[in-house]
Amino acid sequence: MQETTSLLTNSCNFSGIRPAMADLPYPPIQVKEKNQVYANLLSIDYCGAVSELSAITQYINNENRMACTHCQLAKTILGIAMAEMMHLQKLGELIHLLGGKADFAAKQPNGRMRLWTPEYLTLPEQIEKMIAADIEAEQAAANQYRMHMKMIRDENVNAVLARIIKDEEYHMMLLRSL
């Protein structure tokens, strides 16, 4: 008896996907001086519960779960994830320039460090709930950046954070349109 096999394939082609970003340049990645307090604040944006690392991981997980059945949606989600990767990279550079380490440990104001964990993610099964969780995460990130900008007295750092907020607002607009 001959065994038949069938291959399952994903016909969604991701070539040519670009980061989903506001059409604005980023300011130079520079700081006035080293400042560990600022580096610690940015470490929370880098890899805390509300962070670029959490956003990237949540988006990639959602994109993987959508790709076979909702190709266009998955492509948009991947583009947003790519923009979040750029944010992570820029925050890492700022943290380094400020004298900190981008080591996946968020430095809390109380002096404790919290390693990033997938427990920070919201991963519902239904696509509508995925998108709602993504919008909520984008809003929380923008709010956290605004709060950190009030605490940071370095116009160079704040210019980068303000530019990142523009992308987060663009992502919310994209996600709401989905």
Side-chain angles (χ1 to χ4, degrees):
M1 180 181 254
Q2 189 171 24
E3 191 174 313
T4 60
T5 60
S6 64
L7 297 175
L8 299 175
T9 62
N10 179 6
S11 61
C12 193
N13 182 345
F14 290 97
S15 66
I17 300 297
R18 300 177 47 85
M21 300 169 48
D23 190 18
L24 299 166
Y26 273 88
I29 305 299
Q30 57 191 21
V31 301
K32 272 196 297 195
E33 61 192 5
K34 289 185 185 256
N35 185 315
Q36 191 62 53
V37 172
Y38 296 170
N40 290 351
L41 282 174
L42 294 184
S43 77
I44 295 167
D45 299 321
Y46 186 83
C47 64
V50 174
S51 69
E52 297 300 335
L53 185 59
S54 293
I56 292 163
T57 308
Q58 184 164 307
Y59 281 124
I60 292 297
N61 184 279
N62 289 348
E63 175 269 319
N64 284 323
R65 294 187 296 155
M66 294 175 188
C68 291
T69 57
H70 295 84
C71 182
Q72 283 308 115
L73 184 56
K75 287 179 178 184
T76 301
I77 297 298
L78 180 59
I80 294 171
M82 292 167 73
E84 304 294 0
M85 289 175 203
M86 294 177 72
H87 299 163
L88 185 77
Q89 188 273 332
K90 291 176 185 322
L91 289 173
E93 282 187 59
L94 287 172
I95 290 167
H96 176 74
L97 291 172
L98 289 165
K101 286 187 198 175
D103 56 5
F104 302 109
K107 285 72 172 180
Q108 306 298 316
N110 63 8
R112 291 196 121 103
M113 292 194 307
R114 286 211 54 196
L115 289 176
W116 184 86
T117 173
E119 292 174 3
Y120 293 152
L121 306 179
T122 302
L123 303 171
E125 290 300 318
Q126 300 83 10
I127 288 178
E128 296 81 14
K129 289 183 179 179
M130 286 180 203
I131 293 171
D134 291 342
I135 292 169
E136 186 177 310
E138 292 286 352
Q139 185 64 59
N143 291 342
Q144 182 170 282
Y145 282 126
R146 287 184 188 97
M147 181 181 67
H148 287 171
M149 287 174 69
K150 290 177 184 174
M151 302 165 79
I152 294 173
R153 303 281 180 241
D154 183 324
E155 63 276 355
N156 300 298
V157 173
N158 282 340
V160 174
L161 298 183
R163 175 58 188 82
I164 290 173
I165 289 170
K166 296 282 188 204
D167 285 340
E168 307 301 13
E169 290 169 342
Y170 180 64
H171 297 161
M172 283 185 273
M173 185 271 306
L174 281 175
L175 291 164
R176 286 183 181 120
S177 73
L178 299 174

